[in-house]
Amino acid sequence: MPRHPINRYASTISLDHHLRMVDQLPSVISSQTLFGNDAPLQLEIGSGKGLFMQNASGKHPEHNFLGVEIAYKYAAQAAERLAKHNRTNAIMASGDAEPLLNKSIADQTLAAVHIYFPDPWWKKRHKKRRVVNSQSVKHIYRVLEPSGSFHFWTDVLEYFESAIEMIAAEVPQFGPPIPEEPEVDTNPIATEATTNLSPPPIYRTHFERRSRLHQIPVYRVRYDKR
Ligand SMILES: C[S@@+](CC[C@H](N)C(=O)[O-])C[C@H]1O[C@@H](n2cnc3c(N)ncnc32)[C@H](O)[C@@H]1O
């Protein structure tokens, strides 16, 4: 009986163009090194199953997208979405985003950094594992282009409030957070679901979908590099 190597993901289509391990990425991350062009590059940290990567790369074909997801299985699922939708402007990398952010991305490289619903690490002794932390926010500011944006959404009020306070102290150059609104489809194709109700929501990520369907409050902000 053949044995599958650890981490193998049984995809029905080739993920060769859409999935890499973080340590197989170029030592310097840029649109040129990843995609061979100079389009603006956006980074998502903790992509989960990749709904944001799929939608954003389809909506903005003029941009490139790198998603980094530590759980190989989710990275592969996200890559499968990108492959199925023939996205040539988006790839997934499996591994820890923090060393990548700290060491492999030059100053002023990214048009945007996205962190949606990061793991909350509730216990006090585990909070240092949070991906939005005093080091990562400094690097996020550093790698953003002028007027680039950092999007941070969560359903954990304590994480949200402590992150806002920490960013104000660690990276005051960001200025105050800018509230973001949930998206709705303003041009829906008429369907039973849309004819007699308000426009349907567009979920940015799977966790946003889950929170909204369960009426769990979501806290959304963006910071623009000034
Ligand atoms: C709660 S899930 C949210 C997934 C997705 N952003 C969403 O909103 O549906 C958080 C994700 O971040 C990933 N993650 C946690 N730490 C990470 C790290 N250091 N680098 C990359 N991904 C990470 C987890 O594996 C998990 O898939």
Side-chain angles (χ1 to χ4, degrees):
M1 189 97 137
R3 296 181 65 165
H4 295 304
I6 293 168
N7 276 348
R8 178 158 176 158
Y9 176 75
S11 178
T12 50
I13 55 173
S14 167
L15 303 182
D16 288 354
H17 295 294
H18 293 95
L19 180 61
R20 308 220 198 134
M21 300 305 290
V22 157
D23 58 14
Q24 295 168 341
L25 291 174
S27 55
V28 177
I29 301 293
S30 69
S31 260
Q32 196 52 249
T33 60
L34 291 175
F35 297 93
N37 61 47
D38 291 319
L41 179 62
Q42 302 196 30
L43 170 72
E44 187 189 21
I45 294 175
S47 302
K49 296 178 188 173
L51 187 60
F52 169 77
M53 287 293 290
Q54 177 193 328
N55 289 340
S57 59
K59 198 169 167 189
H60 296 288
E62 76 288 5
H63 282 216
N64 292 322
F65 293 84
L66 171 64
V68 184
E69 170 51 57
I70 205 165
Y72 179 85
K73 187 177 154 193
Y74 291 147
Q77 284 183 28
E80 189 171 41
R81 286 173 171 274
L82 301 177
K84 277 186 180 154
H85 290 85
N86 298 313
R87 298 285 193 264
T88 54
N89 61 333
I91 61 169
M92 286 300 307
S94 175
D96 188 345
E98 287 207 56
L100 185 87
L101 177 67
N102 301 352
K103 295 187 194 135
S104 302
I105 308 183
D107 298 2
Q108 304 193 8
T109 298
L110 302 179
V113 175
H114 305 263
I115 302 184
Y116 299 117
F117 301 84
D119 292 330
W121 295 109
W122 298 103
K123 289 186 184 161
K124 201 173 173 189
R125 69 178 188 279
H126 290 160
K127 283 184 183 166
K128 57 181 181 289
R129 299 181 189 173
R130 289 179 169 179
V131 293
V132 180
N133 59 54
S134 56
Q135 285 308 305
S136 68
V137 294
K138 287 180 197 147
H139 282 289
I140 289 168
Y141 187 84
R142 178 185 65 77
V143 299
L144 284 174
E145 297 168 346
S147 79
S149 56
F150 167 41
H151 303 259
F152 167 49
W153 295 13
T154 177
D155 58 354
V156 180
L157 181 59
E158 180 274 323
Y159 196 164
F160 181 74
E161 289 179 337
S162 60
I164 300 290
E165 202 175 309
M166 180 270 291
I167 292 168
E170 300 288 344
V171 205
Q173 314 89 291
F174 258 136
I178 300 158
E180 293 204 294
E181 296 300 322
E183 289 171 54
V184 289
D185 189 349
T186 51
N187 188 22
I189 300 163
T191 65
E192 194 182 331
T194 62
T195 44
N196 50 11
L197 297 170
S198 53
I202 298 174
Y203 302 116
R204 193 167 287 193
T205 72
H206 286 100
F207 267 68
E208 195 204 11
R209 178 176 182 276
R210 193 193 67 157
S211 296
R212 286 171 71 177
L213 290 177
H214 291 88
Q215 273 104 49
I216 295 168
V218 175
Y219 310 97
R220 304 169 178 85
V221 280
R222 184 183 86 233
Y223 290 87
D224 291 339
K225 184 168 180 175
R226 305 190 289 183

